[in-house]
Amino acid sequence: MSRTAVPKANSTAAEGEGTPVTSASPSSFDRSLLLLVPATLFMVVLFVYPFLYGLQLSFRPMEGNWLANYTQFFTTDNLRDTVWTTLKLAIPATVINVGVALPIAYQMRRSSRFQKLITTLLVIPLTLGTVLIAEGMLGYFGPKGWLSQSLQWLHVYEGPIRLTHNYWGVLISLIISGFPFAFLLTLSYITGIDPNLPRAASTLGATPWNQFRHIYLPLLVPGLAMAFALSFVQAFSVFPSAVLLGSPAGATRVISIAAYEAAFERYDYSMASAVAMLMGVVQLIVVAAVLGARGMFYRGPVSGGKG
Amino acid sequence: MDTHRLLMKLWKSLVALVMGFFIVNVALMVAAVGTSSVARRWLGTWLPDGYTFNWYQTAWKEFQLDSVLWVTIEVVAAVVFLSILIGVPAAYALARRDFRGKNLLMGLFLLPLMIPPITYGIPLATVMYQAHIAGTIFGVILANMIPAVPFMILVMTPFIEQIDVNLESAARVFGANTFKLFWHVLLPLLAPGILAASLLVLVRTIGMFELTFLTAGPDSQTLVVALYYAVFAAGVRAPQSVDAMAMVYMAVTLAWLLIALQFVNPTQLVSRVKEHPKTA
């Protein structure tokens, strides 16, 4: 994210021109770094400390040895399976959201009134809130809803369609709430690419497809990886919609439900912390895999070719 | 050559179709909730039997919306204000200085955005219950600041990088002290960025379910959480009054988002390319 991700300064004298304004000499303390103190302190007290506390708490189960929570998690079906259930929802949702966002955002890369209108329309689902989406889906996609009625009226499909209280309900809600976000991020990355590059390519005879393939795509890979990671976080932490739209005891028993139940229904904070830690581990593995794969495609400035 | 053109056209229409399909279905979905919220009785027909606005009144009373909205305002205002206070100085230092451990620090600020809120929300709630600040508005504010402060930093850092450092140097040359530099030079330059970032934090905080859910008590629920409980305790309440409340929620967030879009160009959310003035 930061432009100044250059290797640390080893030589002191030659570095002066590179670093802006009053680059303090190495011996004297740069007082402007004090500006970082409140934020760092805040993060340490409210993020790092609780996290470490949770980590050690997860190794102090109510009964059994120090690994009891983790062994229990991996040997109990309805706990272990929550990981797969969550991934089965989160990965397709993220792939669809980013995958569909890319062509749409690409087509709207040029700034225009149309772009503004569509962006606004696509952003609106961000304001709906889980409950409105849940209520709307139960009403609209439900067996007696408008969609079902229209399909039957048109004789496309007989009988009530089942898109709620199951896997599909949660997946659709993840797309409705996640797509606008993925789209905004992708659009932002695409419009960040200097349009002079494809223009130059087209004067040299590159077809639109080749422009996309050889100019946009490589420059977009880091942004897409970021969009994928951030969308995945949202989808992976699905909680309210899995309860309201899915079948929280069965097909959509996601990992956050397991964590919540341990903490606030059984008051087993140790187990809840263990589940939370596992959630973090799975999440970080996926993010690391995505960011790692990014490195295989392209190395270079994040949004290249700007003045 | 012509087949190529045709394929392009087909592809473009396909993309437009997908987009249209999405927008139409979401619009109908919202319309279904809206219709239900003013429906007298609606059972499996195209349209309800009759219409009434009473559900909004019922919802307002049943869910004690005035106090819930007030809590929401307090929480959101405090989160936005405090994350500016903490985040902007940090973003400034990160944008302007290079130091050992900078990448590590950036990682620390990025981490809360990269892992699900429940992951740190549960240990945080545990710690807060021990410190007796869970269940209070103060606890809810602190919890919501965890993603807000990093978000502020990550949006503001590239923004500050864009500001020409020579302006600051010039002010120094003319004898401005740090306070004057901040007040007369930096603040006016930063204001648009801070405004944009805080509107985004505001919208995010209104919608942040998990952290509030985990740390709130009965008197410190924000709108999202109150709404969730309203649905969860369904059966007791008419679905129409829940729908009415959901529409209120949407109206609140939508209003703020539309305001935000007046100031923030969403296409410049993450990338830093300024539109170069077209040289004629």
Side-chain angles (χ1 to χ4, degrees), chain A residues 44-59:
Chain A
V44 168
V45 172
L46 279 148
F47 181 74
V48 178
Y49 168 71
F51 205 85
L52 293 178
Y53 176 83
L55 187 65
Q56 62 88 25
L57 191 65
S58 74
F59 290 115

Side-chain angles (χ1 to χ4, degrees), chain A residues 1-6 8 19-22 30 32-33 35-36 38-40 42-44 46-51 53-54 57 100 103-104 107-108 111 114-116 118-133 135-137 139-141 144 146-147 149-150 153 175-176 179-180 184-185 187-189 191-194 207-208 226 229-230 233 236-237 239-240 243-244 256 259-260 263-264 269 272-273 276-277 279-280 283-284 287 291 303 306-307, chain B residues 4 8 11-12 15-16 18-19 22-26 28-33 35 42 44-47 86-87 89-103 105-106 108-120 122-130 142 145-146 149-150 153-154 157 161-162 165 168-169 204 209-210 213-214 224 227-229 231-232 239 242-243 246-247 249-250 253-254 257-258 261 266-273 275-276 278:
Chain A
M1 286 238 137
S2 88
R3 186 215 300 268
T4 35
V6 286
K8 292 293 122 40
T19 38
V21 217
T22 52
D30 185 354
S32 60
L33 290 187
L35 293 172
L36 284 163
T40 312
F42 175 82
M43 294 305 293
V44 168
L46 279 148
F47 181 74
V48 178
Y49 168 71
F51 205 85
Y53 176 83
L57 191 65
V100 177
I104 294 183
Q107 215 166 82
M108 293 174 41
S111 170
F114 178 70
Q115 183 200 47
K116 203 160 188 182
I118 297 286
T119 321
T120 312
L121 279 179
L122 285 176
V123 164
I124 288 176
L126 286 180
T127 66
L128 298 183
T130 334
V131 168
L132 195 138
I133 293 180
E135 285 284 305
M137 283 191 57
Y140 175 67
F141 290 100
K144 296 245 166 158
W146 282 340
L147 186 71
Q149 286 187 43
S150 323
W153 186 66
I175 292 171
I176 293 175
F179 174 74
L184 271 186
L185 275 179
L187 183 67
S188 170
Y189 283 114
T191 50
I193 292 172
D194 191 335
T207 62
M226 199 63 179
L230 290 174
V233 180
F236 190 75
S237 59
F239 177 61
V243 176
L244 300 175
S256 42
Y260 176 76
F264 296 98
Y269 293 110
S273 303
M277 293 303 139
M279 219 174 143
Q283 169 70 41
L284 287 180
V287 170
L291 298 183
S303 40
K306 56 198 185 183
Chain B
H4 194 85
M8 279 282 289
W11 172 247
K12 281 194 170 169
V15 171
V18 170
M19 196 161 67
F22 180 81
I23 292 177
V24 165
N25 275 288
V26 170
L28 283 172
M29 204 185 78
V30 176
V33 179
T35 313
W42 192 12
T45 47
W46 284 100
L47 287 173
I86 298 180
Y92 180 80
L94 285 172
R96 288 285 190 251
R97 296 287 185 274
D98 253 329
F99 52 91
R100 205 179 306 150
K102 181 169 166 177
N103 284 345
L105 209 56
M106 284 299 272
L108 175 69
F109 292 136
L110 195 61
L111 204 57
L113 301 175
M114 278 296 179
I115 62 176
I118 290 220
T119 309
Y120 56 85
I122 285 186
L124 177 77
T126 316
V127 171
M128 280 190 169
Y129 273 106
Q130 285 179 343
L142 285 181
M145 279 171 65
I146 296 177
V149 169
I153 293 176
L154 290 176
T157 306
E161 279 174 357
Q162 282 174 351
V165 287
E168 290 167 47
S169 314
R204 274 171 61 102
F209 172 78
E210 285 92 345
F213 182 63
L214 293 173
V224 231
L227 197 48
Y228 174 82
Y229 280 119
V231 191
F232 202 62
V242 175
D243 289 341
M247 292 303 283
Y249 174 87
M250 180 188 163
T253 31
L254 186 62
L257 195 77
L258 292 180
L261 286 179
T267 61
Q268 293 187 350
L269 208 59
V270 281
S271 55
R272 269 165 272 140
V273 180
E275 277 163 25
H276 298 288
K278 292 248 159 57

Side-chain angles (χ1 to χ4, degrees), chain B:
Chain B
M1 214 48 199
D2 268 345
T3 48
H4 194 85
R5 271 237 173 102
L6 193 71
L7 276 178
M8 279 282 289
K9 265 221 159 97
L10 270 176
W11 172 247
K12 281 194 170 169
S13 342
L14 181 73
V15 171
L17 206 70
V18 170
M19 196 161 67
F21 180 77
F22 180 81
I23 292 177
V24 165
N25 275 288
V26 170
L28 283 172
M29 204 185 78
V30 176
V33 179
T35 313
S36 166
S37 74
V38 293
R40 221 180 273 284
R41 217 165 60 96
W42 192 12
L43 295 164
T45 47
W46 284 100
L47 287 173
D49 303 353
Y51 300 92
T52 168
F53 274 100
N54 285 343
W55 298 114
Y56 283 86
Q57 262 178 13
T58 325
W60 197 275
K61 259 188 262 154
E62 261 182 20
F63 304 118
Q64 294 165 321
L65 269 189
D66 34 2
S67 74
V68 169
L69 279 174
W70 182 239
V71 170
T72 311
I73 292 171
E74 280 179 320
V75 168
V76 172
V79 168
V80 169
F81 178 72
L82 290 172
S83 45
I84 293 174
L85 214 61
I86 298 180
V88 174
Y92 180 80
L94 285 172
R96 288 285 190 251
R97 296 287 185 274
D98 253 329
F99 52 91
R100 205 179 306 150
K102 181 169 166 177
N103 284 345
L104 192 76
L105 209 56
M106 284 299 272
L108 175 69
F109 292 136
L110 195 61
L111 204 57
L113 301 175
M114 278 296 179
I115 62 176
I118 290 220
T119 309
Y120 56 85
I122 285 186
L124 177 77
T126 316
V127 171
M128 280 190 169
Y129 273 106
Q130 285 179 343
H132 300 288
I133 48 173
T136 65
I137 287 198
F138 183 58
V140 173
I141 292 172
L142 285 181
N144 276 293
M145 279 171 65
I146 296 177
V149 169
F151 187 81
M152 184 65 83
I153 293 176
L154 290 176
V155 174
M156 287 308 290
T157 306
F159 186 86
I160 296 172
E161 279 174 357
Q162 282 174 351
I163 296 175
D164 194 348
V165 287
N166 290 327
L167 289 171
E168 290 167 47
S169 314
R172 288 275 187 206
V173 169
F174 287 112
N177 59 21
T178 307
F179 175 77
K180 276 188 176 159
L181 174 75
F182 174 76
W183 194 250
H184 293 293
V185 179
L186 274 179
L187 200 62
L189 288 171
L190 290 180
I194 294 179
L195 187 69
S198 34
L199 280 167
L200 293 170
V201 167
L202 182 141
V203 173
R204 274 171 61 102
T205 309
I206 297 179
M208 172 50 76
F209 172 78
E210 285 92 345
L211 291 171
T212 315
F213 182 63
L214 293 173
T215 52
D219 312 322
S220 49
Q221 284 172 15
T222 60
L223 197 50
V224 231
V225 176
L227 197 48
Y228 174 82
Y229 280 119
V231 191
F232 202 62
V236 200
R237 287 176 178 128
Q240 288 98 320
S241 74
V242 175
D243 289 341
M245 189 160 155
M247 292 303 283
V248 171
Y249 174 87
M250 180 188 163
V252 171
T253 31
L254 186 62
W256 278 108
L257 195 77
L258 292 180
I259 294 175
L261 286 179
Q262 299 301 309
F263 296 96
V264 194
N265 182 354
T267 61
Q268 293 187 350
L269 208 59
V270 281
S271 55
R272 269 165 272 140
V273 180
K274 277 282 145 204
E275 277 163 25
H276 298 288
K278 292 248 159 57
T279 41

